[in-house]
Amino acid sequence: KISRTMKENNNEILKIQEISLLLSTINNSLKKVSNKNNDLIIDLQTNNINPSKVLSNINITVGTRGRDIRDSSLGLNNLIYLSLLMMQLEDDTVPKVLSENKMDVIKELEDEECEVLDDCFEKSGDKYILKSDIQKEKYNELYKFFDINRDREASFTLLAIEEPEAHLHPSIQRTVYKEVMKENTSILISTHSPFITSIAPIDSIVHLIPSKESGTKGYSAANIQLTDRQKLDMQRYIDVKRGEMYFGRGIILVEGIAEEYLIPKFAELLEIQLDLEGIICCNINGTDFKPYLVFLRELGIPYVVITDGDYYYHEDEKKIFNEMHSKSNKGIGYDGNDRFVKINEELKIIDLDEIQTALESDDKWNELDKIFRVNHVHIGEYTLEVDMMNKIATHKESKEKLFNLFDLMTAGGDLHKNKFKSNFNTKRYNKCLNQIEGNTSKIGKGRFAQSLSNICDKNFIPLYIENALKDIRNQITSQKEVKL
């Protein structure tokens, strides 16, 4: 019917006088050169209106102007292709359109008390169309009915998508693949895009690492031992950080924004190129390293941990923090070491007997530091800022850089500036840090670290951070290069 209508409408075009005259002129010219051979008489027609060809003449256009898809971008075409593919893979247990004859046959299978077909389909012409506003309980009932009564070929579909990020804007990558991952289809995606991995469920990750000796090794996070809360926290962290952690050849875990600013600079001063080596510095905004260690170990990704020592001593059975060490201090300790002893009790990364032996030794804190360093955990003495000040105490030029930066950034007056220098020269570095964080200066640790990263030199690098940076580089370079 459509084909006949198209033919009638198209024939109207051929009745236009200019076109009729053109056809007559061409045929007259042909007669002159063909000895009036009737086989050379030509006619004109518009589109192919053969019924079997009508559907194949439908073309996709893009945008309000109807731009041909061949003139569109590769990224947009990828989106269209993926949308069509997902539509093809949709669960078709429940049909969206039924003919009258098919509906009559299906209704015979329905129980007398069951009216799910009438509730879920509405008649339109000679077809029955699935309603769009079906309640979940009713749809489940409908799905069960068709699952039992509809003859369909049994099949299983696995959709594999290789590096789908090509030609797609990062925000579009995240938006599209959030929808893809919601589909009730088994999907396998290989990707180098942190924007896609950032939204992938943590327990869906398979991390592939090449090895010269044993080929490519696969590490799966499917059985990762984390609580639901830890999984949610990790998922949110990776989402915000855009999933870079998956692509690092090595990871530096740090606890704060100051380390995030300064450690890349320290690495540069030590001639360790983090980007070139594929090493990523990850600020976890706290000291709960446990889920990150579980995660990285599960995926076989090399790592180091850099964390504050957080020196303390006991006074009236209370722990006193944020003070400098004094010979009069009793019951001294390091909260950073305590934290990792507790983490190790849960994860058992280090032999528990080895830890216990260190705890019972006369020099337990140094013994613990040695054990932790071997296992890629590097712990300071105080905080990063205090440890840096302690490191530059005998370096005049480095001290001047620190003083000048504080003078430039502080909102306090000369008295406040002189007090900073006095505190530093009397080794009350904790007081200097208090001034940086205090309301008078209006600086803050993060802002101060950001500015310091532009002017600091090698003298500022605490030994435990230098050891950590060399540790992660050694872990990376010890991995055998793969010859392709």
Side-chain angles (χ1 to χ4, degrees):
K1 182 179 178 181
I2 293 173
S3 179
R4 287 196 303 270
T5 303
M6 289 176 64
K7 182 174 178 63
E8 291 169 1
N9 291 334
N10 288 339
N11 286 343
E12 291 297 314
I13 298 174
L14 300 179
K15 293 178 182 179
I16 296 174
Q17 189 172 7
E18 287 83 356
I19 295 179
S20 299
L21 180 60
L22 176 63
L23 180 61
S24 175
T25 302
I26 293 173
N27 278 320
N28 288 334
S29 297
L30 283 173
K31 287 178 183 179
K32 293 178 182 179
V33 296
S34 64
N35 294 320
K36 300 180 181 180
N37 186 344
N38 290 334
D39 288 339
L40 286 179
I41 294 175
I42 67 167
D43 201 352
L44 298 177
Q45 68 176 27
T46 52
N47 294 332
N48 189 338
I49 44 76
N50 186 313
S52 64
K53 300 287 187 179
V54 169
L55 289 177
S56 64
N57 285 335
I58 297 176
N59 295 317
I60 295 177
T61 61
V62 181
T64 56
R65 297 183 180 181
R67 186 169 72 253
D68 192 290
I69 195 169
R70 290 171 295 185
D71 299 327
S72 187
S73 67
L74 288 174
L76 182 56
N77 287 352
N78 282 350
L79 291 179
I80 294 171
Y81 172 72
L82 188 62
S83 299
L84 293 172
L85 191 61
M86 294 308 299
M87 184 178 68
Q88 184 182 2
L89 294 175
E90 280 183 358
D91 186 345
D92 63 348
T93 301
V94 178
K96 293 182 173 60
V97 180
L98 286 171
S99 66
E100 284 184 307
N101 292 337
K102 190 67 175 176
M103 179 62 86
D104 291 339
V105 172
I106 290 177
K107 276 193 171 185
E108 292 180 2
L109 303 172
E110 192 176 25
D111 295 336
E112 292 183 4
E113 298 179 359
C114 179
E115 298 179 349
V116 68
L117 294 174
D118 290 335
D119 291 341
C120 297
F121 284 87
E122 57 186 357
K123 201 168 188 304
S124 177
D126 59 350
K127 296 287 195 321
Y128 284 87
I129 311 299
L130 184 68
K131 294 179 181 179
S132 59
D133 56 349
I134 306 172
Q135 293 184 351
K136 184 176 181 180
E137 294 79 6
K138 183 64 69 174
Y139 186 84
N140 290 340
E141 184 183 347
L142 181 69
Y143 189 97
K144 184 177 180 180
F145 172 81
F146 276 107
D147 191 42
I148 296 171
N149 296 299
R150 189 178 178 198
D151 292 331
R152 294 180 300 120
E153 182 179 345
S155 64
F156 175 81
T157 300
L158 175 67
L159 173 61
I161 310 174
E162 183 179 12
E163 298 188 7
E165 59 268 21
H167 312 293
L168 292 180
H169 187 279
S171 63
I172 298 295
Q173 292 179 37
R174 288 168 57 83
T175 302
V176 169
Y177 285 95
K178 273 182 181 178
E179 294 303 313
V180 169
M181 291 169 187
K182 290 178 184 177
E183 294 294 332
N184 187 25
T185 302
S186 296
I187 299 174
L188 187 67
I189 299 176
S190 66
T191 181
H192 290 92
S193 169
F195 306 104
I196 292 176
T197 57
S198 69
I199 58 171
I202 282 180
D203 51 10
S204 72
I205 297 296
V206 176
H207 191 245
L208 302 177
I209 301 178
S211 168
K212 185 177 180 181
E213 288 82 7
S214 54
T216 297
K217 289 184 178 181
Y219 298 84
S220 171
N223 298 315
I224 192 166
Q225 298 298 309
L226 294 175
T227 65
D228 291 341
R229 180 65 193 176
Q230 288 172 332
K231 282 185 180 180
L232 286 173
D233 289 344
M234 281 292 299
Q235 186 71 65
R236 185 60 185 154
Y237 175 83
I238 291 172
D239 189 8
V240 171
K241 291 296 183 179
R242 298 296 185 258
E244 280 188 298
M245 187 180 286
Y246 293 120
F247 301 102
R249 294 183 64 200
I251 302 296
I252 303 172
L253 293 175
V254 300
E255 63 176 76
I257 187 66
E259 290 88 347
E260 189 174 8
Y261 281 128
L262 285 164
I263 284 175
K265 178 63 176 182
F266 291 163
E268 181 182 322
L269 292 170
L270 293 170
E271 298 183 355
I272 299 173
Q273 301 299 321
L274 297 186
D275 288 337
L276 190 62
E277 298 281 1
I279 300 170
I280 297 171
C281 184
C282 294
N283 167 23
I284 70 165
N285 296 303
T287 58
D288 185 15
F289 290 98
K290 178 187 171 182
Y292 299 88
L293 296 178
V294 172
F295 185 66
L296 293 173
R297 291 171 68 83
E298 197 78 15
L299 295 181
I301 301 175
Y303 66 85
V304 294
V305 175
I306 296 176
T307 187
D308 293 339
D310 293 324
Y311 167 84
Y312 65 84
Y313 63 93
H314 284 86
E315 187 175 281
D316 297 330
E317 298 183 356
K318 293 182 180 179
K319 287 184 178 180
I320 307 300
F321 289 93
N322 303 318
E323 296 287 345
M324 301 302 295
H325 173 69
S326 170
K327 292 182 179 179
S328 62
N329 294 158
K330 296 180 180 179
I332 69 167
Y334 297 90
D335 205 43
N337 295 68
D338 294 340
R339 286 193 298 267
F340 268 89
V341 168
K342 186 176 180 180
I343 288 174
N344 191 66
E345 287 174 357
E346 299 175 25
L347 300 186
K348 297 178 176 56
I349 296 172
I350 308 167
D351 184 77
L352 296 180
D353 291 337
E354 188 177 358
I355 295 290
Q356 189 59 37
T357 300
L359 289 171
E360 294 172 356
S361 69
D362 294 334
D363 193 15
K364 68 176 182 178
W365 301 115
N366 284 329
E367 291 300 315
L368 282 175
D369 280 341
K370 291 177 184 177
I371 295 171
F372 287 141
R373 278 199 301 272
V374 172
N375 290 278
H376 317 301
V377 177
H378 301 264
I379 304 175
E381 186 174 2
Y382 298 97
T383 64
L384 171 61
E385 294 81 6
V386 172
D387 289 339
M388 284 193 298
M389 294 179 199
N390 201 9
K391 183 71 165 48
I392 64 170
T394 58
H395 298 279
K396 183 178 179 181
E397 290 184 4
S398 299
K399 285 195 299 182
E400 287 303 316
K401 288 181 180 179
L402 181 68
F403 294 160
N404 292 337
L405 181 62
F406 182 82
D407 290 350
L408 179 66
M409 297 186 72
T410 185
D414 290 341
L415 184 63
H416 189 64
K417 296 173 184 177
N418 290 332
K419 186 178 179 181
F420 183 87
K421 296 180 180 67
S422 175
N423 283 330
F424 186 95
N425 291 327
T426 54
K427 297 187 177 181
R428 292 181 292 178
Y429 307 126
N430 58 316
K431 301 296 183 183
C432 293
L433 179 58
N434 290 340
Q435 286 187 257
I436 291 171
E437 295 183 290
N439 293 329
T440 302
S441 69
K442 294 182 172 59
I443 301 174
K445 290 175 63 173
R447 182 165 162 249
F448 193 79
Q450 183 180 21
S451 298
L452 183 62
S453 66
N454 293 317
I455 63 168
C456 66
D457 52 49
K458 288 179 68 173
N459 296 325
F460 281 84
I461 307 175
L463 181 59
Y464 73 100
I465 292 181
E466 182 176 350
N467 289 336
L469 289 168
K470 291 178 178 178
D471 180 1
I472 191 64
R473 182 179 61 181
N474 290 339
Q475 289 186 65
I476 299 301
T477 55
S478 66
Q479 293 176 340
K480 300 295 184 180
E481 292 297 327
V482 179
K483 294 183 179 180
L484 301 179

